[in-house]
Every structure is written in C-alpha cells, then in structure tokens.
Amino acid sequence: MAWTWRFEKADGTETEPAVRPEEFSTQGDAESWIGESWRELLEGGVEQVTLLEDGTVVYGPMSLSAAEEA
C-alpha cells in the first residue's frame, strides 16, 4: 500500500507543493509528515490536502489554514 497527499488550492485544483514527499508506507507516516510540513506547504501556496491510499481518497480535503487558526 502507498499513502500519498494531493496538494490543492482552495477551489480543489491541484498545485505543486513547496515540499514534495515520497510515498509513505503507512497512514501514520503520512499524517506525521503533514503535521511537520503544513506551515511550509501553506506558505508555498497549498491551501488544502487530501490523503490517498493507492489512489483512493481516504479523507479530505483538509484545510491547512484551519491548522494555523487552531
């Protein structure tokens, strides 16, 4: 299984992130990475992310701005 993030603008269109990770082997690894990288992604123009497992949406879109406000 491969876990990946899709990086999006607020309108749902895909965008290239400032930081591009490799595929993750577990959901926990993917979530840990986003927890460490969301500020840099937001500063680079990514407004929301969607988690995928082997190309299938697990959850999202999840706003990165909401994390900033928390």
Side-chain angles (χ1 to χ4, degrees), residues 1-69:
M1 286 187 241
W3 297 82
T4 56
W5 290 103
R6 183 171 59 218
F7 305 96
E8 305 169 349
K9 295 188 177 287
D11 65 4
T13 57
E14 285 193 58
T15 187
E16 283 297 314
V19 182
R20 167 106 16 218
E22 299 297 320
E23 294 180 345
F24 300 97
S25 58
T26 69
Q27 182 175 354
D29 288 346
E31 290 171 339
S32 292
W33 182 85
I34 205 74
E36 296 169 1
S37 304
W38 70 267
R39 285 181 185 89
E40 190 173 355
L41 292 166
L42 186 60
E43 289 171 3
V46 174
E47 297 174 70
Q48 61 189 26
V49 293
T50 298
L51 183 63
L52 304 151
E53 179 186 13
D54 293 329
T56 301
V57 173
V58 176
Y59 63 79
M62 177 176 66
S63 172
L64 296 180
S65 296
E68 185 174 49
E69 295 166 6

